[in-house]
Amino acid sequence: MDEAKKTMLSGIQPSGDLHLGNYLGAIKNWADRAENYDCYYFMADLHTITVRQNPADLRRRTLEQLAQYIACGLDPERNTLFIQSHVHEHAELGWVLNCYTMFGELSRMTQFKDKSAAHKDNINGGLFTYPSLMAADILLYQPDYVPVGEDQKQHVELCRNIVQRFNGIYGDVFKMPEPFIPKTGARIMCLTEPETKMSKSIPEGCVFLMEKPEDIQRKFKRAITDSDTENCVHFDPVNKPGVSNLMNIYSAVTGKSIESIEAEFAGLGYGAFKPKVGEAVVECLRPIREEAGRILADKAYLEAVYKSGAERASYVAQKTLRKVYKKVGFVAR
Ligand code: TRP
């Protein structure tokens, strides 16, 4: 790895299928990052069991997601791609950091409050201490930047508090990470409720990366366009959120500007526009779907990828954990 490059790390929970919003909003821009950063991405399987999972589904989704990320352009030669549970240092440092994270801090996490309200029958200890494990995920690799969505910012802030507390006691052990909220990437909304973000929780308004072309077309044909009387492809996110969302999607997948899209469909109505967007999305996703399918069928290749990723990750993680164990006073084996 290039010493001069800064390091970036992010985890992805394999708890749902990837969709167009994930792709256009984030993943699409990740391939180019390897140019300037030393990048680590892992499937955060340890985190997913804070909520009950079906074991067979979790295993399948973890591998599918890895295959999909590679198909989206994340080159395993240029990025370290691994499965969290393969690198046991995550759980070990997670335990240590639990002891340097305060009950009060964990109680203030909005994700904990939301998830415990949503799963009242399973408010387990892991759900509560999840941010200490996330801090361990980060700190093992001493990254400069942690790309996360808005919803994870609070956890990165808590990680920074832990660094301050730990380094305050033991000296400079951890590098202080910065959250990295990417500015690029389109904000893709739900096709049936364009006021909310595209999400797997509303499947009819969500286009999955692995979905069949005819299903994608159907979803676009049924996409909500606005109830104004104009029936005109004009960009106005406040008054015409449905059409504007479709224009954003069309722009992101074709590279055309909003103005040129308005010109292209001048005089044509929503009925002409919607299938065109569907077609463009199908063509954009086709190579990804086909490539992900090929990768998933090649078990030996996929295994080689996650094994070599885990080896690279372990090498770095081990060094950090050894240092931490020494600092807190554990006897070296
Ligand atoms: N908590 C993150 C999420 O739910 C996933 C995650 C786990 C993560 N560990 C991380 C993200 C470390 C960034 C860094 O989306």
mmCIF file of all heavy atoms in Angstrom, residues 9-13 15 40 42-45 47 84 90 111 115 130-131 133-139 143 145-149 151-152 155-156, ligand 1:
data_model
loop_
_atom_site.group_PDB
_atom_site.id
_atom_site.type_symbol
_atom_site.label_atom_id
_atom_site.label_comp_id
_atom_site.label_asym_id
_atom_site.label_seq_id
_atom_site.Cartn_x
_atom_site.Cartn_y
_atom_site.Cartn_z
ATOM 1 N N LEU A 9 -12.019 4.320 5.340
ATOM 2 C CA LEU A 9 -12.638 3.044 5.695
ATOM 3 C C LEU A 9 -14.136 3.199 5.848
ATOM 4 O O LEU A 9 -14.608 4.189 6.404
ATOM 5 C CB LEU A 9 -12.044 2.545 7.020
ATOM 6 C CG LEU A 9 -12.812 1.391 7.676
ATOM 7 C CD1 LEU A 9 -11.854 0.341 8.182
ATOM 8 C CD2 LEU A 9 -13.693 1.895 8.808
ATOM 9 N N SER A 10 -14.877 2.231 5.345
ATOM 10 C CA SER A 10 -16.314 2.253 5.588
ATOM 11 C C SER A 10 -16.878 0.843 5.663
ATOM 12 O O SER A 10 -16.372 -0.072 5.023
ATOM 13 C CB SER A 10 -17.030 3.053 4.503
ATOM 14 O OG SER A 10 -18.327 3.378 4.971
ATOM 15 N N GLY A 11 -17.894 0.692 6.468
ATOM 16 C CA GLY A 11 -18.556 -0.595 6.616
ATOM 17 C C GLY A 11 -19.959 -0.521 6.060
ATOM 18 O O GLY A 11 -20.588 0.528 6.092
ATOM 19 N N ILE A 12 -20.420 -1.647 5.545
ATOM 20 C CA ILE A 12 -21.752 -1.718 4.973
ATOM 21 C C ILE A 12 -22.455 -2.909 5.591
ATOM 22 O O ILE A 12 -21.921 -4.006 5.590
ATOM 23 C CB ILE A 12 -21.680 -1.921 3.447
ATOM 24 C CG1 ILE A 12 -20.770 -0.877 2.801
ATOM 25 C CG2 ILE A 12 -23.057 -1.904 2.834
ATOM 26 C CD1 ILE A 12 -19.595 -1.445 2.088
ATOM 27 N N GLN A 13 -23.645 -2.682 6.119
ATOM 28 C CA GLN A 13 -24.377 -3.789 6.715
ATOM 29 C C GLN A 13 -25.061 -4.627 5.636
ATOM 30 O O GLN A 13 -25.862 -4.086 4.879
ATOM 31 C CB GLN A 13 -25.454 -3.257 7.658
ATOM 32 C CG GLN A 13 -24.870 -2.677 8.904
ATOM 33 C CD GLN A 13 -25.830 -2.793 10.068
ATOM 34 O OE1 GLN A 13 -26.456 -3.826 10.273
ATOM 35 N NE2 GLN A 13 -25.952 -1.727 10.828
ATOM 36 N N SER A 15 -27.626 -6.156 5.314
ATOM 37 C CA SER A 15 -28.951 -6.472 5.828
ATOM 38 C C SER A 15 -30.047 -6.229 4.799
ATOM 39 O O SER A 15 -31.214 -6.477 5.062
ATOM 40 C CB SER A 15 -29.225 -5.678 7.107
ATOM 41 O OG SER A 15 -28.961 -4.322 6.888
ATOM 42 N N TYR A 40 -10.520 0.803 2.538
ATOM 43 C CA TYR A 40 -10.993 -0.439 3.142
ATOM 44 C C TYR A 40 -12.519 -0.402 3.157
ATOM 45 O O TYR A 40 -13.106 0.579 3.617
ATOM 46 C CB TYR A 40 -10.545 -0.526 4.606
ATOM 47 C CG TYR A 40 -9.062 -0.686 4.811
ATOM 48 C CD1 TYR A 40 -8.217 0.415 4.778
ATOM 49 C CD2 TYR A 40 -8.514 -1.937 5.059
ATOM 50 C CE1 TYR A 40 -6.850 0.272 4.978
ATOM 51 C CE2 TYR A 40 -7.149 -2.095 5.266
ATOM 52 C CZ TYR A 40 -6.326 -0.990 5.220
ATOM 53 O OH TYR A 40 -4.989 -1.135 5.417
ATOM 54 N N PHE A 42 -15.756 -3.067 4.291
ATOM 55 C CA PHE A 42 -16.085 -4.398 4.812
ATOM 56 C C PHE A 42 -17.588 -4.594 4.951
ATOM 57 O O PHE A 42 -18.349 -3.641 5.103
ATOM 58 C CB PHE A 42 -15.371 -4.654 6.144
ATOM 59 C CG PHE A 42 -15.783 -3.723 7.245
ATOM 60 C CD1 PHE A 42 -16.800 -4.085 8.114
ATOM 61 C CD2 PHE A 42 -15.174 -2.495 7.410
ATOM 62 C CE1 PHE A 42 -17.203 -3.237 9.130
ATOM 63 C CE2 PHE A 42 -15.565 -1.639 8.421
ATOM 64 C CZ PHE A 42 -16.578 -2.007 9.285
ATOM 65 N N MET A 43 -17.985 -5.868 4.880
ATOM 66 C CA MET A 43 -19.380 -6.246 5.091
ATOM 67 C C MET A 43 -19.540 -6.386 6.603
ATOM 68 O O MET A 43 -18.948 -7.295 7.210
ATOM 69 C CB MET A 43 -19.699 -7.590 4.424
ATOM 70 C CG MET A 43 -19.314 -7.688 2.954
ATOM 71 S SD MET A 43 -20.196 -6.489 1.955
ATOM 72 C CE MET A 43 -18.830 -5.744 1.104
ATOM 73 N N ALA A 44 -20.322 -5.503 7.209
ATOM 74 C CA ALA A 44 -20.421 -5.447 8.671
ATOM 75 C C ALA A 44 -21.399 -6.500 9.190
ATOM 76 O O ALA A 44 -22.455 -6.174 9.730
ATOM 77 C CB ALA A 44 -20.823 -4.041 9.106
ATOM 78 N N ASP A 45 -21.027 -7.773 9.057
ATOM 79 C CA ASP A 45 -21.942 -8.837 9.476
ATOM 80 C C ASP A 45 -22.106 -8.899 11.000
ATOM 81 O O ASP A 45 -23.183 -9.220 11.493
ATOM 82 C CB ASP A 45 -21.544 -10.204 8.877
ATOM 83 C CG ASP A 45 -20.114 -10.625 9.166
ATOM 84 O OD1 ASP A 45 -19.341 -9.807 9.708
ATOM 85 O OD2 ASP A 45 -19.757 -11.780 8.849
ATOM 86 N N HIS A 47 -22.378 -6.494 12.951
ATOM 87 C CA HIS A 47 -23.389 -5.486 13.311
ATOM 88 C C HIS A 47 -24.809 -5.949 13.016
ATOM 89 O O HIS A 47 -25.740 -5.569 13.713
ATOM 90 C CB HIS A 47 -23.125 -4.180 12.560
ATOM 91 C CG HIS A 47 -21.978 -3.406 13.113
ATOM 92 N ND1 HIS A 47 -22.122 -2.445 14.078
ATOM 93 C CD2 HIS A 47 -20.654 -3.465 12.849
ATOM 94 C CE1 HIS A 47 -20.941 -1.938 14.378
ATOM 95 N NE2 HIS A 47 -20.025 -2.540 13.648
ATOM 96 N N GLN A 84 -16.294 -8.601 7.916
ATOM 97 C CA GLN A 84 -15.913 -8.188 9.279
ATOM 98 C C GLN A 84 -15.606 -9.377 10.199
ATOM 99 O O GLN A 84 -14.594 -9.380 10.900
ATOM 100 C CB GLN A 84 -17.051 -7.353 9.863
ATOM 101 C CG GLN A 84 -16.764 -6.726 11.215
ATOM 102 C CD GLN A 84 -18.019 -6.050 11.763
ATOM 103 O OE1 GLN A 84 -19.144 -6.414 11.400
ATOM 104 N NE2 GLN A 84 -17.841 -5.063 12.617
ATOM 105 N N HIS A 90 -11.787 -7.197 15.342
ATOM 106 C CA HIS A 90 -12.916 -6.262 15.499
ATOM 107 C C HIS A 90 -13.642 -6.520 16.818
ATOM 108 O O HIS A 90 -13.900 -5.596 17.587
ATOM 109 C CB HIS A 90 -13.904 -6.401 14.321
ATOM 110 C CG HIS A 90 -13.378 -5.828 13.050
ATOM 111 N ND1 HIS A 90 -13.869 -4.679 12.486
ATOM 112 C CD2 HIS A 90 -12.376 -6.243 12.243
ATOM 113 C CE1 HIS A 90 -13.208 -4.415 11.371
ATOM 114 N NE2 HIS A 90 -12.287 -5.354 11.201
ATOM 115 N N GLN A 111 -29.802 6.385 16.820
ATOM 116 C CA GLN A 111 -30.100 5.120 16.153
ATOM 117 C C GLN A 111 -30.541 4.050 17.169
ATOM 118 O O GLN A 111 -31.428 3.259 16.901
ATOM 119 C CB GLN A 111 -28.894 4.607 15.355
ATOM 120 C CG GLN A 111 -29.273 3.445 14.464
ATOM 121 C CD GLN A 111 -28.141 2.991 13.561
ATOM 122 O OE1 GLN A 111 -27.108 2.538 14.019
ATOM 123 N NE2 GLN A 111 -28.340 3.142 12.273
ATOM 124 N N LYS A 115 -34.011 2.224 16.890
ATOM 125 C CA LYS A 115 -34.093 0.767 16.706
ATOM 126 C C LYS A 115 -34.724 0.089 17.911
ATOM 127 O O LYS A 115 -35.396 -0.928 17.757
ATOM 128 C CB LYS A 115 -32.702 0.176 16.429
ATOM 129 C CG LYS A 115 -32.207 0.478 15.023
ATOM 130 C CD LYS A 115 -31.142 -0.492 14.565
ATOM 131 C CE LYS A 115 -30.751 -0.218 13.123
ATOM 132 N NZ LYS A 115 -29.628 -1.050 12.656
ATOM 133 N N TYR A 130 -23.316 -1.217 20.127
ATOM 134 C CA TYR A 130 -22.953 -1.189 18.706
ATOM 135 C C TYR A 130 -21.963 -0.064 18.357
ATOM 136 O O TYR A 130 -20.993 -0.295 17.637
ATOM 137 C CB TYR A 130 -24.278 -1.115 17.969
ATOM 138 C CG TYR A 130 -24.382 -0.733 16.538
ATOM 139 C CD1 TYR A 130 -24.975 -1.611 15.624
ATOM 140 C CD2 TYR A 130 -23.979 0.507 16.069
ATOM 141 C CE1 TYR A 130 -25.143 -1.259 14.305
ATOM 142 C CE2 TYR A 130 -24.134 0.857 14.738
ATOM 143 C CZ TYR A 130 -24.719 -0.031 13.860
ATOM 144 O OH TYR A 130 -24.872 0.324 12.551
ATOM 145 N N PRO A 131 -22.134 1.153 18.886
ATOM 146 C CA PRO A 131 -21.172 2.206 18.509
ATOM 147 C C PRO A 131 -19.733 1.938 18.975
ATOM 148 O O PRO A 131 -18.801 2.407 18.328
ATOM 149 C CB PRO A 131 -21.730 3.463 19.194
ATOM 150 C CG PRO A 131 -23.174 3.180 19.389
ATOM 151 C CD PRO A 131 -23.256 1.713 19.672
ATOM 152 N N LEU A 133 -18.354 -1.042 18.954
ATOM 153 C CA LEU A 133 -17.845 -1.962 17.932
ATOM 154 C C LEU A 133 -17.525 -1.185 16.662
ATOM 155 O O LEU A 133 -16.504 -1.408 16.019
ATOM 156 C CB LEU A 133 -18.875 -3.065 17.639
ATOM 157 C CG LEU A 133 -18.481 -4.075 16.557
ATOM 158 C CD1 LEU A 133 -17.211 -4.836 16.920
ATOM 159 C CD2 LEU A 133 -19.616 -5.075 16.295
ATOM 160 N N MET A 134 -18.388 -0.246 16.334
ATOM 161 C CA MET A 134 -18.134 0.575 15.143
ATOM 162 C C MET A 134 -16.852 1.390 15.325
ATOM 163 O O MET A 134 -16.064 1.540 14.385
ATOM 164 C CB MET A 134 -19.333 1.481 14.868
ATOM 165 C CG MET A 134 -19.119 2.380 13.671
ATOM 166 S SD MET A 134 -20.693 3.004 13.035
ATOM 167 C CE MET A 134 -20.101 4.442 12.120
ATOM 168 N N ALA A 135 -16.619 1.872 16.536
ATOM 169 C CA ALA A 135 -15.379 2.614 16.804
ATOM 170 C C ALA A 135 -14.173 1.692 16.620
ATOM 171 O O ALA A 135 -13.154 2.082 16.040
ATOM 172 C CB ALA A 135 -15.403 3.190 18.215
ATOM 173 N N ALA A 136 -14.310 0.445 17.068
ATOM 174 C CA ALA A 136 -13.218 -0.527 16.884
ATOM 175 C C ALA A 136 -12.979 -0.782 15.400
ATOM 176 O O ALA A 136 -11.828 -0.816 14.948
ATOM 177 C CB ALA A 136 -13.548 -1.828 17.605
ATOM 178 N N ASP A 137 -14.069 -0.942 14.630
ATOM 179 C CA ASP A 137 -13.937 -1.158 13.181
ATOM 180 C C ASP A 137 -13.064 -0.074 12.570
ATOM 181 O O ASP A 137 -12.218 -0.329 11.715
ATOM 182 C CB ASP A 137 -15.308 -1.039 12.474
ATOM 183 C CG ASP A 137 -16.332 -2.063 12.927
ATOM 184 O OD1 ASP A 137 -15.931 -3.109 13.450
ATOM 185 O OD2 ASP A 137 -17.539 -1.778 12.751
ATOM 186 N N ILE A 138 -13.345 1.130 13.007
ATOM 187 C CA ILE A 138 -12.641 2.283 12.440
ATOM 188 C C ILE A 138 -11.198 2.315 12.928
ATOM 189 O O ILE A 138 -10.255 2.344 12.140
ATOM 190 C CB ILE A 138 -13.368 3.594 12.842
ATOM 191 C CG1 ILE A 138 -14.782 3.622 12.243
ATOM 192 C CG2 ILE A 138 -12.563 4.819 12.417
ATOM 193 C CD1 ILE A 138 -15.665 4.754 12.772
ATOM 194 N N LEU A 139 -11.014 2.279 14.237
ATOM 195 C CA LEU A 139 -9.699 2.586 14.813
ATOM 196 C C LEU A 139 -8.647 1.523 14.532
ATOM 197 O O LEU A 139 -7.453 1.815 14.522
ATOM 198 C CB LEU A 139 -9.843 2.856 16.308
ATOM 199 C CG LEU A 139 -10.750 4.069 16.604
ATOM 200 C CD1 LEU A 139 -10.906 4.258 18.107
ATOM 201 C CD2 LEU A 139 -10.221 5.341 15.952
ATOM 202 N N PRO A 143 -7.758 5.115 10.070
ATOM 203 C CA PRO A 143 -8.063 5.879 8.855
ATOM 204 C C PRO A 143 -8.086 7.378 9.102
ATOM 205 O O PRO A 143 -8.294 7.829 10.235
ATOM 206 C CB PRO A 143 -9.470 5.392 8.490
ATOM 207 C CG PRO A 143 -10.086 5.065 9.806
ATOM 208 C CD PRO A 143 -8.974 4.537 10.676
ATOM 209 N N TYR A 145 -10.176 9.228 7.072
ATOM 210 C CA TYR A 145 -11.566 9.568 6.777
ATOM 211 C C TYR A 145 -12.485 8.356 6.867
ATOM 212 O O TYR A 145 -12.097 7.259 6.502
ATOM 213 C CB TYR A 145 -11.688 10.148 5.357
ATOM 214 C CG TYR A 145 -10.868 11.391 5.169
ATOM 215 C CD1 TYR A 145 -9.732 11.379 4.373
ATOM 216 C CD2 TYR A 145 -11.221 12.577 5.815
ATOM 217 C CE1 TYR A 145 -8.964 12.519 4.208
ATOM 218 C CE2 TYR A 145 -10.458 13.722 5.657
ATOM 219 C CZ TYR A 145 -9.329 13.691 4.861
ATOM 220 O OH TYR A 145 -8.579 14.811 4.711
ATOM 221 N N VAL A 146 -13.691 8.630 7.335
ATOM 222 C CA VAL A 146 -14.714 7.589 7.397
ATOM 223 C C VAL A 146 -15.931 8.079 6.605
ATOM 224 O O VAL A 146 -16.694 8.914 7.087
ATOM 225 C CB VAL A 146 -15.123 7.303 8.859
ATOM 226 C CG1 VAL A 146 -16.138 6.170 8.929
ATOM 227 C CG2 VAL A 146 -13.906 6.975 9.704
ATOM 228 N N PRO A 147 -16.097 7.610 5.364
ATOM 229 C CA PRO A 147 -17.260 8.050 4.594
ATOM 230 C C PRO A 147 -18.526 7.405 5.156
ATOM 231 O O PRO A 147 -18.617 6.180 5.226
ATOM 232 C CB PRO A 147 -16.987 7.537 3.169
ATOM 233 C CG PRO A 147 -15.711 6.779 3.219
ATOM 234 C CD PRO A 147 -15.261 6.664 4.633
ATOM 235 N N VAL A 148 -19.443 8.225 5.595
ATOM 236 C CA VAL A 148 -20.706 7.722 6.142
ATOM 237 C C VAL A 148 -21.853 8.623 5.723
ATOM 238 O O VAL A 148 -21.644 9.777 5.358
ATOM 239 C CB VAL A 148 -20.702 7.676 7.698
ATOM 240 C CG1 VAL A 148 -19.862 6.538 8.217
ATOM 241 C CG2 VAL A 148 -20.274 9.010 8.297
ATOM 242 N N GLY A 149 -23.028 8.088 5.797
ATOM 243 C CA GLY A 149 -24.216 8.898 5.567
ATOM 244 C C GLY A 149 -24.499 9.732 6.805
ATOM 245 O O GLY A 149 -23.925 9.504 7.882
ATOM 246 N N ASP A 151 -26.838 9.680 8.813
ATOM 247 C CA ASP A 151 -27.356 8.915 9.954
ATOM 248 C C ASP A 151 -26.249 8.296 10.817
ATOM 249 O O ASP A 151 -26.506 7.874 11.942
ATOM 250 C CB ASP A 151 -28.307 7.808 9.463
ATOM 251 C CG ASP A 151 -27.589 6.750 8.624
ATOM 252 O OD1 ASP A 151 -26.758 7.129 7.772
ATOM 253 O OD2 ASP A 151 -27.846 5.547 8.832
ATOM 254 N N GLN A 152 -25.024 8.219 10.286
ATOM 255 C CA GLN A 152 -23.937 7.592 11.041
ATOM 256 C C GLN A 152 -22.963 8.602 11.630
ATOM 257 O O GLN A 152 -21.976 8.241 12.268
ATOM 258 C CB GLN A 152 -23.173 6.614 10.146
ATOM 259 C CG GLN A 152 -24.000 5.429 9.686
ATOM 260 C CD GLN A 152 -24.429 4.568 10.851
ATOM 261 O OE1 GLN A 152 -23.661 4.291 11.759
ATOM 262 N NE2 GLN A 152 -25.681 4.147 10.847
ATOM 263 N N HIS A 155 -22.307 8.428 15.356
ATOM 264 C CA HIS A 155 -21.445 7.324 15.775
ATOM 265 C C HIS A 155 -19.971 7.655 15.549
ATOM 266 O O HIS A 155 -19.116 7.254 16.334
ATOM 267 C CB HIS A 155 -21.809 6.037 15.032
ATOM 268 C CG HIS A 155 -23.171 5.501 15.382
ATOM 269 N ND1 HIS A 155 -23.893 4.687 14.560
ATOM 270 C CD2 HIS A 155 -23.933 5.682 16.493
ATOM 271 C CE1 HIS A 155 -25.043 4.369 15.124
ATOM 272 N NE2 HIS A 155 -25.100 4.978 16.301
ATOM 273 N N VAL A 156 -19.691 8.358 14.481
ATOM 274 C CA VAL A 156 -18.295 8.748 14.231
ATOM 275 C C VAL A 156 -17.863 9.791 15.272
ATOM 276 O O VAL A 156 -16.733 9.769 15.752
ATOM 277 C CB VAL A 156 -18.096 9.266 12.789
ATOM 278 C CG1 VAL A 156 -16.652 9.699 12.562
ATOM 279 C CG2 VAL A 156 -18.485 8.205 11.766
HETATM 280 N N1 TRP B 1 -23.037 1.447 11.254
HETATM 281 C C1 TRP B 1 -22.893 1.541 9.836
HETATM 282 C C2 TRP B 1 -24.285 1.538 9.186
HETATM 283 O O1 TRP B 1 -25.213 1.030 9.764
HETATM 284 C C3 TRP B 1 -22.081 0.424 9.288
HETATM 285 C C4 TRP B 1 -20.722 0.416 9.880
HETATM 286 C C5 TRP B 1 -20.267 -0.501 10.781
HETATM 287 C C6 TRP B 1 -19.683 1.341 9.636
HETATM 288 N N2 TRP B 1 -18.975 -0.205 11.094
HETATM 289 C C7 TRP B 1 -18.583 0.903 10.437
HETATM 290 C C8 TRP B 1 -19.561 2.479 8.836
HETATM 291 C C9 TRP B 1 -17.381 1.593 10.431
HETATM 292 C C10 TRP B 1 -18.354 3.163 8.853
HETATM 293 C C11 TRP B 1 -17.278 2.731 9.653
HETATM 294 O O2 TRP B 1 -24.427 2.026 8.080
#
